[in-house]
Amino acid sequence: MFLHLRPKLKFRMRKNVLLIVLSFLFSVSLFSQTKFTISGTIKDGKTGEELIGATIFLKDTTGIGAVTNAYGFYSLTIPASKKEIAVRYVGYEDYSVTLDSMKSQSINVSLSPASKTLKEVEVKATKSNENITTSQVSAIKLDIKQLEKIPVLFGEKDILKTIQLLPGVQPASEGNAGYYVRGGSNDQNLILLDEATVYSPAHLLGFFSVFNNDAIKDATLYKGNMPAEYGGRLASVLDLKMKEGNSKEYVIGGGIGLISSRLNIEGPIVKDKGSFIVTGRRTYADLFLKLSKKENLKKSILYFYDINAKANYRIGKRDRIFLSGYFGQDKFGLQDRFTIVYGNATATLRWNHIFSDKLFSNTSFIYNEFNYTIGINVASIDVKSQIRDFSLKEDLDYYLNSKNKLKFGFLTTFHTIVPGQVISSDTARIGNIILTKNYGWESSVYAQHEISLWNKVNINYGIRLSVFSQVGPSKYFKFPNEDAIDTFNLKLGQFGKTYFNPEPRVSISYNFIPSMSFKAAYSRNVQNLHQLSTTTTSAPTDRWIMTSNNTKPEISDQVSAGYFVNFHKDMFELSVEGYYKWMQNQIDYKNGATLRANEAVETELLYGVGRAYGAEFFFKKKEGKFTGWVSYTFSRSERKFPTVNRGTWFASRYDRTHDLSIVLMYDITPRINISATWVYYTGLAATFPIGKYVLNGEIVPLYGDRNQDRFPAYHRLDIGATFVLKKRKTWEHDLNISVYNLYARKNAYSIDFKTDYNTGTSYAEKTYLFRIVPSITYNFKFSFAPLKKKQK
Amino acid sequence: MRNILRTIAIALGAVIVNSACTEKIDLKLKNSEPQVTIEGRVNDKPGPYYVAITKSRLYTENNDFIGIGGALVVISDDAGNIDTLAPGFITGLYQTNFIQGTVGRTYKLSATVEGTTYVSLCKMNPPVDIDSILISTETNFQGELKTTTKMQIRDPSGVPNYYQVFSVRDGYHGQHSDRLWDGKIREFNIPHKDLASGDTLEAELWSISQQVYTFFDQFDQNQNNFGAPAAPANPDPVYTPAAMGYFSAHSIKSKTVIIP
C-alpha cells in the first residue's frame, strides 16, 4: 500500500513544484476558470489596412492590455468580470466595445482615422505613451504620414533621409541615403523590406533611397538593442513593412516631381478578403541630359525605376497568404564608353496561421538579391557581381496571458556571393576572370519572453543562437604566414569553418509613474556578411564578403540606458539615452589594397576592434498645429588596428562628435502646412597633409596619421510647404514646394589638395554639390468603389 | 573606378541643378618635421644614372624645394661593382661614375643623409618589346578631336610583369600590372601634350619591379582619392629606415615615330 502510493505522491509533488514555478514566472494561476481570451485583428476602417502596434485594453483596470503584432493580430486574456474594452491607435479615434458574453471570442475592430479637415478645432485624437511603457530601448517607430511634410532634396520623400534627423543616426554624406547608427558603418545596418534583406538601399549613387514612400506602411528603427527576433547586423535594424492595399475601394494615386514621377494602384481582390497594391517610380534626369548642348552628355544615360507589388488573401478565418516583391534598377552610361546597371530584387511569400486565440504563426519564404553589371565598352568587357539569399523563416507569437508573451522561431538562409566576374568578348584585351563563388549557410533560433510585473516593470529577455558555416562547392584560402597563400576546396555539401554564437538580449523598463520611465538594455549582435568599402559613402560596386576561415564574425556588445518622460497629457516627449558599444573583428583594408577582381581579397584586409559611445537627447511635440522635434547626439566612434597609427585608437569614418537636427512643422490652415529642418554636424574625420614633397617633379602631399583632421562642420536649412488644392471624398490633389539648402551653404563634399605651379603655392580646395535647390511636386489621388457585378 | 563614380556624382550635381562647384578653403593643417625623399633610377642603357635627394616642406610653405647636398650616395650590384656617386649639376642631385645597368642583376642604393643611412634593393627585370605605335584621332570626353597614341605590346606569359610608359618629351605615365591580362596583346596610352603633324614622338616601355609598381600604385590611389575617401596614406616605404621616394632598376625598350 505504502509502496504503491509513493510514485503518485512523487508525481504530484513534481507537478506542484512545476506549477508553482510556472505561476510565479507567469504570475497567473493556470487553473483559473474565471478568465477568457479575446483575439482578432485591428484595422483602419477606411482602407482596411491592418494596424501595427495598436493597443487594446480594459477600460477600468490599468495594466491589462495587448498590442497588435506586425499583421494587426492581438490576443488578450481578461478576467471574466470585465467587459468594457477600448482600442487605441495614434491618429485614430478611440473605440470602445462592451462584450455581451463572458467567453473566449473573436473581435475584429475597425478604427476611424481622426479627420483634421472637418473642423479647425483640434481633433480628439489618441495620444500614445507606448514610448514610456514598452521595455524596448533605443528604438524609434517612424510616423510615415508625418514624413510627407518634411522637406527633402528634389522633393523626393525619403524614409532613409528622414531617419537621419533622429538621435544616434547620421547621414553618410551630403544628400546621401546612406546612414551610420551609433558609430557603426553602413554595412552594419540591416534593412528589411517585408522581411527580405535589401543589400543596397540607394539609387543614383546614394542620392535617393530605394524605398518608395507610397508603398511603406510601417517603419521601425532599432539602434543596436534589438529584440531576439532580429539578428545579423551590429549597428541597427530598419524594419519596413509594405502596405497591404486598400481592401474596400480602388485608389489610384501618384505624383509628378522635378526629377521623378510615381504612380500607385491599390484595391480589393475580393472586398474585405484580399487586396493588392502596386507602386512604381521612374526618374527622368536623363531627359535633362538630352537638353544639354554637349554631345557627350546627350549620349549619356542616367535613370532609375522601382516597383513594389503586394497582394494578400484570406483563406477562411485562420489563414492568410501574402505575396510581396520589390524590383528596382539603376542605369548609368557615360557616352558609349561604359554603363553601370545595378539593382535589388526581393520576393516574400508569407502564410499567417492562427492556431488558437493565443498562438499566432507566420511562415515566410524569402528571396532577395542585389547585382550589378559594369559594361566597359571601350575594353569590350563586362564585370558582373551578385549577392543572393534564399531564406525560410518561422515566427510564433504565444500570448500566454495579459502579462506574458512569448515569441520564438527560427531563420535559415543560404547565401551566395558572386564576386566581380570579368566576362570578355572575343575582341577584348583581357581574358575572362571567373572568381570562385562563395556559399554560406546561416541559421538562427530565438526565444524571447515579454513579462510585465506589478504594472510598473516590463522585461523583455531572450536569446538568439546563430550559426554560420562556409560551404562548398568553392575554393577558399589559408594564409600560414605573411607571404604564403594556400588554397583548399570544399565540395558540394561539404562544410568548412563553422561559427556558433549565442546572442543574449535583455531590456527592462521601470515606470515610476505612468508618464515616466527608466530603461536599460544589453544586447550582443553578430554579423557574418561584410562590405568592403573604399569610400565613406558606400558605392553600389562595393564588394561583400562572408565570414570564412580567415574572416571571423563581427561581434558587438551594447549597453544602453535611458530616461523617458511624457508631459502635458502625452503631448510632449523627452528622452535622454546613453550607450556604450564594444566591437570585435572589425575589418579595414591595407594601404593600396586591391579589392576588385582579386580572389584572395582577404590578403588585403586588416582586423581590429572598435568602440563607440554617446548620449542622445530627443524632445518632441507630438500634437497640435505646431509639431516637430529637436534631436542632439554627442558621440564618439573609434577603431584600433595593429598596423594603423601604431596600434592606437583613432576616430573612425563614422565618428561625428556633435549632431543636431531641428524639425518644425506648422499647419497654418487645414489646407496649408509649412515645415523647416535645420541640421548641424561635426565634419567627418579625415587625413590631411602634414607636409609636401617632390616626386617625379610633381609636388605631392605628405600624409600623417589616419583621421587626425576634420572636415569643416556641416549645416543646412531646408524649408517646405504643402498646399492641398482640393480634397473630396473621391479625389484629392496637392502641391508640395521645397527649398533645399536655403542659405546656400557650400558644404564640403570632398577636399582636394592642389598645387599652383605658376605661383608656387599649394592649397586646399573643396567640392560642394548643391547650393540652393528648389523643387516642386504635384500629388493626386482618386478612389472609387469596386464595380458591382451585374446580376443576371 | 573611384574616379568614374566621382565623375558621375559631380556630373549629376552639375547637370541636374547646375551647381556642383569647387572653392579654395582655409584649413588648419598639422605640421611634420622635414622628411627625406630619395629618388633613384638605374637602367640598362649607358649611364650616368641619377639620384635626387630632397626634403619635405610644410604644406603652407612655398614650393621652393632645395636639394640636400653633402650626402654619401653609393650604388652597387650583386656582381661586386660599387660606385660612389658624384655631386651632379644642381644641389641634391648625384650621378654615377662607371656602373652599368645589366638585366638580371640586383642593385642596392645606399644614401647617408645627415647621419642616417637609407638603403633600398631592386632587381632589374628583362625588357619587353614595343610591337608598334598606333596613332589615331579620337573624340575625347569634352567632345574635341585629339591625336591619340598608343603602344602595342605582347605580354610574356607565365611571369608577372610590371610596366611604366614614358614619353621622352612629356614625361612618364602610370604603371601597369599584367595580373588581369597575363600573356595577352595589350595597348598602353602614351602620355603627351598636343601633337601636331611632323612632331617626333619617342616612347619608352620600362620593365619595373613589383616593389616599384606597388609603390606607384599606392601613390596614385592616394593622389586620386576623392571626397571623403578611404583614408589616404603615404605609399609603403621602399627604404630602410623609412624615407619617401623610390629606387627603380628597370630595363628599357623604345620606339620613335613621326606624327603624319
Side-chain angles (χ1 to χ4, degrees):
Chain A
M1 197 63 177
F2 181 72
L3 280 169
H4 192 70
L5 254 175
R6 261 183 87 170
K8 226 178 181 175
L9 191 69
K10 223 177 176 181
F11 173 72
R12 245 189 213 161
M13 270 179 67
R14 260 199 215 143
K15 193 176 168 191
N16 284 343
V17 168
L18 187 71
L19 286 175
I20 289 164
V21 169
L22 277 175
S23 50
F24 172 75
L25 256 181
F26 304 135
S27 50
V28 61
S29 77
L30 288 174
F31 317 11
S32 167
Q33 300 297 313
T34 56
K35 291 190 178 222
F36 65 96
T37 303
I38 56 170
S39 65
T41 48
I42 298 175
K43 295 182 190 180
D44 178 313
K46 204 173 160 229
T47 65
E49 288 268 349
E50 280 71 20
L51 300 173
I52 302 169
T55 47
I56 181 161
F57 55 94
L58 285 182
K59 257 190 160 174
D60 49 0
T61 315
T62 52
I64 295 183
V67 178
T68 55
N69 72 4
Y71 304 92
F73 176 83
Y74 74 91
S75 166
L76 179 62
T77 301
I78 48 177
S81 57
K82 306 289 178 185
K83 52 184 180 177
E84 295 290 322
I85 309 291
V87 180
R88 254 183 196 180
Y89 191 64
V90 179
Y92 289 80
E93 286 172 14
D94 287 6
Y95 179 91
S96 318
V97 63
T98 307
L99 301 176
D100 45 13
S101 64
M102 302 293 166
K103 60 174 196 218
S104 291
Q105 54 193 292
S106 168
I107 296 176
N108 297 322
V109 177
S110 292
L111 295 182
S112 307
S115 170
K116 260 185 200 170
T117 45
L118 297 174
K119 284 180 205 160
E120 278 268 6
V121 296
E122 201 169 302
V123 173
K124 199 199 103 202
T126 298
K127 288 165 231 163
S128 166
N129 69 340
E130 216 211 314
N131 62 314
I132 301 292
T133 52
T134 173
S135 67
Q136 183 62 50
V137 65
S138 313
I140 303 165
K141 189 172 162 158
L142 288 148
D143 184 342
I144 302 283
K145 282 181 185 157
Q146 198 172 53
L147 218 114
E148 310 265 324
K149 296 180 183 173
I150 298 171
V152 285
L153 181 61
F154 303 128
E156 286 288 313
K157 303 302 172 202
D158 197 325
I159 197 157
L160 296 188
K161 282 180 200 157
T162 308
I163 64 170
Q164 296 170 3
L165 299 167
L166 298 168
V169 187
Q170 278 120 26
S173 73
E174 169 97 59
N176 200 288
Y179 58 96
Y180 304 141
V181 178
R182 290 185 168 179
S185 60
N186 219 15
D187 72 323
Q188 291 174 350
N189 301 322
L190 178 63
I191 301 180
L192 297 173
L193 180 65
D194 271 359
E195 300 181 301
T197 305
V198 178
Y199 280 97
S200 180
H203 282 306
L204 281 183
L205 294 163
F207 289 115
F208 302 99
S209 88
V210 299
F211 304 110
N212 182 343
N213 228 30
D214 291 345
I216 305 297
K217 170 180 175 172
D218 186 86
T220 306
L221 178 74
Y222 298 94
K223 297 183 287 185
N225 287 106
M226 27 273 195
E229 60 179 295
Y230 298 102
R233 294 291 186 281
L234 297 195
S236 76
V237 175
L238 178 63
D239 190 6
L240 299 169
K241 296 194 170 80
M242 277 162 61
K243 281 182 189 163
E244 316 297 352
N246 195 313
S247 63
K248 299 195 179 293
E249 56 183 5
Y250 293 105
V251 180
I252 297 176
I256 298 166
L258 194 64
I259 65 155
S260 85
S261 281
R262 297 169 282 123
L263 189 68
N264 55 73
I265 302 169
E266 57 185 307
I269 297 171
V270 174
K271 198 179 173 191
D272 291 329
K273 276 201 110 172
S275 60
F276 74 94
I277 179 166
V278 179
T279 63
R281 268 198 307 185
R282 192 199 189 277
T283 57
Y284 28 79
D286 46 340
L287 302 180
F288 287 83
L289 294 178
K290 298 269 187 296
L291 299 175
S292 167
K293 281 187 186 123
K294 284 189 176 172
E295 204 47 44
N296 55 334
L297 286 176
K298 269 190 188 175
K299 281 195 227 159
S300 297
I301 310 166
L302 178 75
Y303 69 84
F304 73 74
Y305 66 90
D306 53 40
I307 300 162
N308 286 280
K310 190 167 182 178
N312 71 89
Y313 194 78
R314 268 179 209 282
I315 307 162
K317 284 189 168 172
R318 294 185 175 273
D319 297 279
R320 197 173 180 202
I321 301 283
F322 300 75
L323 181 63
S324 55
Y326 165 87
F327 185 82
Q329 203 164 57
D330 273 64
K331 192 165 180 177
F332 296 120
L334 277 187
Q335 280 194 335
D336 319 326
R337 283 158 191 257
F338 83 95
T339 51
I340 304 180
V341 180
Y342 65 92
N344 295 283
T346 73
T348 312
L349 175 65
R350 288 190 283 197
W351 168 44
N352 280 183
H353 180 71
I354 299 168
F355 282 99
S356 74
D357 56 10
K358 292 189 174 192
L359 184 61
F360 180 94
S361 151
N362 177 64
T363 311
S364 304
F365 297 93
I366 308 158
Y367 173 79
N368 56 264
E369 70 159 60
F370 169 72
N371 62 61
Y372 72 78
T373 302
I374 303 170
I376 303 170
N377 301 341
V378 286
S380 310
I381 56 165
D382 281 343
V383 181
K384 287 177 192 261
S385 173
Q386 192 189 49
I387 178 163
R388 186 177 63 201
D389 300 337
F390 288 97
S391 308
L392 172 65
K393 188 167 179 272
E394 172 63 42
D395 297 292
L396 291 158
D397 289 335
Y398 186 56
Y399 300 86
L400 202 58
N401 55 48
S402 65
K403 309 259 183 204
N404 290 276
K405 190 187 153 192
L406 294 171
K407 188 160 180 145
F408 44 95
F410 69 85
L411 168 66
T412 182
T413 303
F414 193 79
H415 300 286
T416 305
I417 292 180
V418 182
Q421 311 275 27
V422 179
I423 314 289
S424 56
S425 69
D426 297 340
T427 56
R429 297 179 202 104
I430 297 183
N432 282 355
I433 300 165
I434 305 299
L435 305 189
T436 180
K437 291 179 187 176
N438 291 127
Y439 301 98
W441 188 22
E442 186 173 24
S443 300
S444 50
V445 290
Y446 73 90
Q448 70 190 49
H449 178 199
E450 272 180 71
I451 179 168
S452 135
L453 300 168
W454 315 295
N455 294 336
K456 279 188 181 298
V457 178
N458 288 298
I459 303 172
N460 183 339
Y461 65 92
I463 190 159
R464 186 178 182 90
L465 297 166
S466 64
V467 51
F468 181 92
S469 303
Q470 57 178 166
V471 292
S474 189
K475 183 165 86 179
Y476 292 96
F477 296 87
K478 272 194 280 198
F479 310 112
N481 61 55
E482 183 115 340
D483 298 313
I485 300 179
D486 281 351
T487 62
F488 64 97
N489 285 292
L490 293 178
K491 293 196 189 76
L492 179 67
Q494 218 179 351
F495 282 65
K497 182 82 180 166
T498 294
Y499 295 92
F500 287 93
N501 275 297
E503 303 171 40
R505 319 269 172 90
V506 61
S507 59
I508 299 170
S509 70
Y510 178 74
N511 290 20
F512 304 97
I513 53 170
S515 64
M516 194 191 288
S517 65
F518 176 80
K519 304 185 195 183
Y522 162 77
S523 288
R524 166 167 281 209
N525 291 311
V526 173
Q527 177 164 351
N528 287 305
L529 283 130
H530 325 278
Q531 190 178 30
L532 307 176
S533 178
T534 46
T535 53
T536 350
T537 57
S538 72
T541 50
D542 286 340
R543 184 163 170 183
W544 286 89
I545 61 164
M546 278 189 255
T547 291
S548 71
N549 51 310
N550 300 307
T551 304
K552 295 192 180 73
E554 292 177 63
I555 295 174
S556 72
D557 292 281
Q558 179 170 296
V559 288
S560 301
Y563 172 75
F564 300 78
V565 59
N566 284 7
F567 48 92
H568 214 281
K569 292 180 180 166
D570 292 328
M571 185 181 275
F572 296 94
E573 192 181 309
L574 177 71
S575 68
V576 182
E577 266 187 65
Y579 66 90
Y580 199 105
K581 178 161 65 176
W582 296 263
M583 290 165 272
Q584 302 172 46
N585 306 327
Q586 296 299 288
I587 302 171
D588 212 320
Y589 32 79
K590 292 177 184 165
N591 186 10
T594 306
L595 300 183
R596 287 173 215 294
N598 186 353
E599 205 159 46
V601 69
E602 289 172 327
T603 56
E604 308 282 3
L605 304 181
L606 300 170
Y607 303 100
V609 294
R611 65 182 182 197
Y613 51 91
E616 301 166 351
F617 302 84
F618 188 55
F619 176 71
K620 185 177 182 181
K621 181 171 183 290
K622 297 195 279 190
E623 299 295 330
K625 285 185 175 184
F626 183 59
T627 55
W629 68 81
V630 178
S631 141
Y632 169 74
T633 308
F634 169 83
S635 63
R636 297 308 315 267
S637 171
E638 295 171 310
R639 299 289 183 276
K640 191 163 87 166
F641 293 90
T643 53
V644 178
N645 293 2
R646 299 164 309 281
T648 56
W649 287 102
F650 65 94
S652 77
R653 287 184 276 161
Y654 324 109
D655 182 273
R656 307 273 161 85
T657 317
H658 304 283
D659 183 10
L660 176 68
S661 302
I662 300 172
V663 178
L664 306 171
M665 290 164 274
Y666 184 68
D667 294 332
I668 300 174
T669 72
R671 289 178 174 276
I672 303 171
N673 73 69
I674 55 170
S675 59
T677 59
W678 188 70
V679 295
Y680 172 96
Y681 56 81
T682 307
L684 72 149
T687 311
F688 292 156
I690 54 169
K692 55 186 171 184
Y693 63 101
V694 183
L695 196 83
N696 278 337
E698 275 182 70
I699 292 155
V700 294
L702 176 72
Y703 293 105
D705 280 354
R706 186 182 288 192
N707 290 358
Q708 298 296 294
D709 301 283
R710 291 275 172 184
F711 269 44
Y714 181 102
H715 53 91
R716 193 188 79 230
L717 175 67
D718 305 336
I719 56 164
T722 303
F723 305 92
V724 177
L725 302 173
K726 194 166 259 180
K727 188 160 185 170
R728 294 282 179 271
K729 211 174 176 189
T730 53
W731 86 292
E732 58 186 81
H733 60 160
D734 63 55
L735 199 64
N736 180 282
I737 295 168
S738 64
V739 182
Y740 180 88
N741 198 9
L742 184 70
Y743 55 81
R745 178 167 162 91
K746 297 167 182 173
N747 285 302
Y749 178 71
S750 66
I751 294 176
D752 291 299
F753 293 90
K754 298 194 165 178
T755 292
D756 183 339
Y757 287 91
N758 294 324
T759 60
T761 53
S762 305
Y763 58 93
E765 184 182 271
K766 71 178 173 189
T767 299
Y768 53 93
L769 290 184
F770 305 111
R771 272 177 292 188
I772 300 179
V773 187
S775 58
I776 183 160
T777 310
Y778 170 78
N779 299 298
F780 61 90
K781 197 163 145 186
F782 299 97
S783 47
F784 45 92
L787 297 170
K788 295 255 161 55
K789 277 185 190 163
K790 279 181 188 166
Q791 292 197 345
K792 281 184 181 174
Chain B
M1 182 47 73
R2 256 186 298 175
N3 283 335
I4 294 171
L5 295 178
R6 175 192 196 180
T7 311
I8 297 171
I10 291 171
L12 195 74
V15 171
I16 298 174
V17 290
N18 212 12
S19 69
C21 274
T22 56
E23 190 178 274
K24 277 190 189 182
I25 50 168
D26 281 326
L27 293 172
K28 201 169 158 39
L29 298 175
K30 296 184 172 64
N31 292 323
S32 111
E33 290 291 306
Q35 293 184 26
V36 173
T37 308
I38 307 165
E39 297 175 88
R41 281 180 185 149
V42 172
N43 57 50
D44 60 345
K45 293 195 165 179
Y49 314 117
Y50 295 92
V51 173
I53 304 178
T54 50
K55 250 185 197 172
S56 71
R57 293 172 73 78
L58 298 184
Y59 201 79
T60 44
E61 286 180 311
N62 67 27
N63 289 336
D64 300 331
F65 284 86
I66 298 161
I68 305 175
L72 174 66
V73 186
V74 178
I75 290 178
S76 54
D77 63 20
D78 54 2
N81 301 303
I82 300 170
D83 190 343
T84 302
L85 279 68
F89 52 88
I90 53 168
T91 313
L93 193 69
Y94 301 84
Q95 67 183 69
T96 56
N97 301 300
F98 61 86
I99 202 163
Q100 172 57 49
T102 308
V103 170
R105 285 186 186 165
T106 299
Y107 290 84
K108 178 180 170 185
L109 170 67
S110 123
T112 307
V113 184
E114 292 165 358
T116 308
T117 302
Y118 303 93
V119 175
S120 181
L121 293 168
C122 187
K123 187 182 174 187
M124 191 184 293
N125 286 329
V128 174
D129 279 326
I130 302 171
D131 284 355
S132 57
I133 289 183
L134 311 170
I135 302 166
S136 59
T137 309
E138 284 181 13
T139 312
N140 71 2
F141 192 63
Q142 279 73 39
E144 304 155 323
L145 279 176
K146 292 277 178 193
T147 300
T148 307
T149 55
K150 289 174 177 163
M151 63 168 71
Q152 193 174 67
I153 65 138
R154 188 183 300 271
D155 182 63
S157 65
V159 284
N161 293 90
Y162 305 94
Y163 303 102
Q164 268 178 324
V165 176
F166 185 77
S167 150
V168 173
R169 192 187 75 171
D170 295 327
Y172 106 110
H173 176 67
Q175 57 288 328
H176 309 274
S177 154
D178 68 351
R179 183 175 75 91
L180 301 180
W181 36 265
D182 181 48
K184 282 222 156 197
I185 291 173
R186 187 77 182 158
E187 286 164 14
F188 297 137
N189 278 318
I190 303 167
H192 53 71
K193 300 193 177 85
D194 285 353
L195 284 172
S197 183
D199 283 357
T200 304
L201 176 76
E202 187 184 356
E204 291 183 349
L205 180 65
W206 297 356
S207 292
I208 57 174
S209 73
Q210 183 185 4
Q211 188 186 35
V212 172
Y213 167 79
T214 305
F215 175 86
F216 281 107
D217 192 45
Q218 291 181 352
F219 175 78
D220 274 6
Q221 285 195 34
N222 287 316
Q223 297 311 309
N224 294 341
N225 66 64
F226 109 79
N234 302 319
D236 291 340
V238 303
Y239 289 95
T240 316
M244 303 308 299
Y246 57 88
F247 174 54
S248 175
H250 52 261
S251 56
I252 299 178
K253 287 285 181 177
S254 61
K255 221 174 185 78
T256 304
V257 292
I258 292 168
I259 304 299

